[in-house]
Amino acid sequence: MELTIQTSNPYQILIQRGCLDHLGLQACALFRENSRAMIITDSNIGPLYAQRAADSLEKAGFMPEIFTFPAGEESKRLSTIEQIYTAMAELKMTRTDFIVALGGGVTGDMAGFAAATFLRGIGFIQIPTSLLAQIDSSVGGKTGVDLPQGKNLVGAFHQPRLVLIDPDTLSTLPTRFFSDGMAEAIKYGCIKSRPLFELIRDNDMAKDPKMLERMICECVDWKRRVVEDDEFDTGERMLLNFGHTLGHALEKHYDFGKLTHGEAVGIGMVKISRAGEALGLTKPGTAEEIAAVLRQYRLPTADSAPAENLAKAAAMDKKGMGGTLNLILLREIGHSFVHPIPKQELLSIIKEREEHA
C-alpha cells in the first residue's frame, strides 16, 4: 500500500513487507548521489537492522554512517541530541545530506528533532520498526524530546521526506512492545472508527499477519486524514491524544520507568472515559468496553497512582492553552471530541470518576 500525505511538504508512506531493503532505491528519488546519510538507531534495533539499511544506501551511491544510542525513553533527552549534533558536525554534514530514523517512537522523535534543527533543517526518512511507531508516531512530523518536567516539551514540526513501513520488522518485537503498539491502534478505533475497534476486538493481531497488515494500513490512513486536516495540531489533531493527557502524567509519575507509553495510554483511555461517563458526556459502558479489548492484548487498565499527582503532571500537558486543559473524550466508540476545562478542575473530575467507578 502506498499513500501520499498532503502536508505543507507532501511525502509518500509505503507499507510493504521487505521495503527496508529498498531504502537506497527510494532515497535516490529524494537526495543527491554521494550524500551522507546518518542512520540514527538504538542499541536494540541497531544490531538487527542498521547494517541492512546502511548496505542498501551504500549500494545506491550514498555514504551512510550509523549513530547508536542506549535504548529506552531515558535517552530521549537534549543530551542525546547534542551527541547526534556532534557526530553530524564531525562528518561535516550539509543541508543536502539526510538522516534515517530507524527504530521505534523514541528514535523517530529524536532523529526527527535533530533533522529539524541541525543546520536549521535537513531531510530525513522514517523507518519505524515498532508497531506503535508504524501506526502512529512516524507519520505527521511531530518530533521532540522530554524534559524532567514532562514528555515531549521540546520539539518541532518537521515532516519526513518518506516513511517506509516494513511489517516484517515486527517479527523481532518483544510481546510487551507489540501490546504497547496495540494500545495506539485501539485508540484509533475509539476516536474515529467503530469498525476498526471491532476488527481489533474480533481478531488476534499477534497471530494473523494479514489482519495485522490491514490494521496498520487503516490506522495510518486515519492518521493521514487527521494530519492533512490539521498539520500543526491546533484543532482536530488533538483528538489523537485521547488517553494521552493522563497517560503522559502516569509516565512522568513513574519517571518513565514502570509503564510503556502504550500501557500508560491504555490506562489513560479507561480513566478519562470513566470520567466522561461520570460527567454524563460519554455513553455508559464505554470505559469497560475499552478495558476489555485492552485486557485482550495483555495491557493494564488501572493504576494506583494518586489522582493529585496525575492532575499536577497533566497541568504541563502540551494541549493546554493558558489556564485551560483540552481533554479528549468520547461520545461513544468511534466518536470523539475536545472538552476544554479549567486546569484546576481536572483533579475533581478524576476523583469524580473514582467515586463512580
Side-chain angles (χ1 to χ4, degrees):
M1 179 178 180
E2 188 168 339
L3 297 168
T4 299
I5 181 165
Q6 297 291 347
T7 55
S8 53
N9 293 298
Y11 55 96
Q12 300 298 115
I13 305 167
L14 179 63
I15 306 169
Q16 184 181 83
R17 294 187 180 275
C19 67
L20 171 62
D21 294 315
H22 303 152
L23 168 61
L25 182 62
Q26 293 287 337
C28 283
L30 301 170
F31 302 103
R32 296 179 184 175
E33 188 178 2
N34 295 321
S35 293
R36 291 193 179 277
M38 174 69 79
I39 300 169
I40 298 175
T41 189
D42 70 27
S43 55
N44 289 337
I45 298 302
L48 298 172
Y49 301 118
Q51 195 56 53
R52 276 175 61 186
D55 289 346
S56 179
L57 288 167
E58 193 167 9
K59 287 177 184 176
F62 297 105
M63 296 184 287
E65 298 286 343
I66 299 170
F67 178 94
T68 305
F69 65 88
E73 187 79 26
E74 58 272 17
S75 288
K76 195 176 170 184
R77 298 286 189 269
L78 287 167
S79 56
T80 309
I81 295 294
E82 185 175 4
Q83 293 171 24
I84 295 171
Y85 292 153
T86 299
M88 292 194 293
E90 289 178 348
L91 286 173
K92 296 181 172 59
M93 290 181 69
T94 71
R95 287 182 178 173
T96 61
D97 299 322
F98 62 99
I99 283 172
V100 176
L102 177 65
V106 169
T107 299
D109 283 0
M110 286 206 301
F113 184 60
T117 50
F118 187 74
L119 299 178
R120 297 190 177 92
I122 64 173
F124 82 112
I125 294 173
Q126 284 270 22
I127 307 181
T129 60
S130 71
L131 180 58
L132 187 151
Q134 289 187 356
I135 66 174
D136 190 69
S137 62
S138 64
V139 176
K142 280 189 177 180
T143 74
V145 295
D146 303 336
L147 294 179
Q149 291 79 10
K151 188 165 180 172
N152 295 328
L153 292 181
V154 176
F157 287 96
H158 188 60
Q159 300 294 344
R161 300 286 298 278
L162 172 71
V163 181
L164 294 180
I165 297 175
D166 186 344
D168 284 345
T169 61
L170 300 180
S171 64
T172 56
L173 199 62
T175 299
R176 184 184 183 192
F177 290 96
F178 183 87
S179 297
D180 178 63
M182 286 305 304
E184 290 284 357
I186 293 165
K187 176 202 75 176
Y188 277 102
C190 287
I191 64 171
K192 283 294 182 183
S193 172
R194 175 98 203 181
L196 174 58
F197 184 88
E198 293 175 353
L199 178 77
I200 294 167
R201 181 194 66 194
D202 297 340
N203 295 275
D204 187 344
M205 295 299 166
K207 295 181 180 179
D208 191 331
K210 287 186 178 180
M211 280 296 178
L212 174 63
E213 196 163 341
R214 176 181 166 185
M215 183 198 77
I216 292 170
C217 291
E218 288 196 27
C219 289
V220 171
D221 198 34
W222 277 115
K223 181 70 176 281
R224 175 192 63 80
R225 293 185 222 180
V226 172
V227 170
E228 285 182 345
D229 288 342
D230 181 19
E231 181 176 354
F232 297 108
D233 204 12
T234 58
E236 186 187 8
R237 191 168 176 176
M238 292 185 189
L239 299 177
L240 298 175
N241 278 269
F242 174 58
H244 284 60
T245 296
L246 294 180
H248 286 169
L250 278 166
E251 288 183 272
K252 182 177 182 298
H253 175 73
Y254 291 113
D255 198 25
F256 305 102
K258 177 183 175 183
L259 299 169
T260 67
H261 175 69
E263 289 167 350
V265 166
I267 295 168
M269 290 193 290
V270 174
K271 282 181 178 288
I272 205 64
S273 295
R274 287 195 174 133
E277 291 179 33
L279 292 168
L281 298 171
T282 300
K283 181 180 177 181
T286 298
E288 183 48 42
E289 193 171 5
I290 296 169
V293 179
L294 290 169
R295 287 192 288 266
Q296 182 181 329
Y297 287 96
R298 298 169 294 279
L299 286 158
T301 60
D303 188 87
S304 59
E308 292 81 0
N309 292 18
L310 298 186
K312 182 178 179 181
M316 289 293 294
D317 189 86
K318 302 184 302 304
K319 297 296 171 288
M321 295 182 181
T324 300
L325 187 64
N326 289 311
L327 297 183
I328 310 305
L329 299 178
L330 305 182
R331 301 284 184 203
E332 58 182 326
I333 301 293
H335 298 278
S336 53
F337 65 101
V338 179
H339 181 62
I341 62 165
K343 287 183 178 180
Q344 64 268 24
E345 289 186 11
L346 181 60
L347 179 58
S348 63
I349 288 173
I350 297 173
K351 285 191 170 182
E352 185 175 2
R353 183 277 307 170
E354 291 173 344
E355 290 168 4
H356 285 76

